Amino acid sequence: MKIALMDSGIGLLAATAAVRRLRPDADLVLSLDPDGMPWGPRTPEDLTRRALAVAEAAAAHRPDALIIGCNTATVHALPTLRARLEPGIPVIGTVPAIKPAAAGGGPVAIWATPATTGSPYQCGLIEEFADGVAVTEVPCYGLAEAVEHADEAAIEAAVSAAAALTPDEVTTVVLGCTHYELVSDRIRTAVQRPGFPPLVLHGSAGAVAAQALRRLGEQPAPRATADGTLTVLLSGREGALPEPALAYEEGRLLQAVTPAR
């Protein structure tokens, strides 16, 4: 089994690690776009063109499924990628975990990029799934970029700024950008209020990995032999994991895997 994941940068690490943990025997293809990142400031049309090129580079390696490890790319490019690649290659998007977060009763905060915060897309998800639960949208200025570059000072500043915008009574935080899952422990520490119940965080990586297996009719096999290979594509060129990826547990998990040839 071969599963491809795509993003402009290392935000795909969380979903990649989730796939690796569920199926250590799966071959993985990571398709990044260092030549075109960041995707967030691009127009929807330009972002879709970049995403399509990255997806086609992955598709050339004949994966059984493709995961879009990026919320922004899912919003803008999912229909185009599905039209181009399916039914031959199932395409799985990444959606903020608002539904399971709201099921806990809230109040809920959704941490997301400034471009996603207040967007029709996110507002539609809140309207559809929040079901009367109090929801606060929190724009996280610079956090994705800081995580992408493993800039410790910038991460600390961005997390602190977003925590200051998060109401004290919040019990649940939705991590609405895949990059944020790489620093979830820091987010938990910054938002947890003394005397309040333990904060609940909802990311998307585990659900996306599980959905990819379901689309393939496969079952989790976490004890399978860890012989899955790793191929990294950088704007279509085969290469290595970007150095900042190794600052995170998810990146280090992948480092030991022998690249496919």
Side-chain angles (χ1 to χ4, degrees), residues 128-152:
E128 182 175 1
F129 295 121
D131 195 26
V133 172
V135 175
T136 301
E137 296 183 84
V138 177
C140 301
Y141 295 95
L143 181 54
E145 294 80 3
V147 173
E148 178 68 34
H149 296 101
D151 184 330
E152 293 292 331

Side-chain angles (χ1 to χ4, degrees), residues 159-203:
V159 167
S160 296
L165 298 175
T166 304
D168 288 349
E169 63 271 17
V170 159
T171 62
T172 306
V173 173
V174 175
L175 304 178
C177 171
T178 54
H179 281 80
Y180 302 170
E181 297 190 50
L182 301 178
V183 292
S184 59
D185 287 346
R186 287 184 241 195
I187 292 172
R188 182 188 304 279
T189 299
V191 178
Q192 180 69 57
R193 310 302 187 199
F196 280 71
L199 187 74
V200 178
L201 298 183
H202 283 276

Side-chain angles (χ1 to χ4, degrees), residues 1-2 19-28 213 218-229:
M1 180 171 57
K2 182 183 290 185
V19 172
R20 173 60 79 220
R21 292 184 180 109
L22 289 177
R23 289 298 298 257
D25 58 336
D27 294 335
L28 302 178
L213 293 185
E218 296 281 353
Q219 295 294 321
R223 297 185 180 180
T225 303
D227 56 3
T229 60

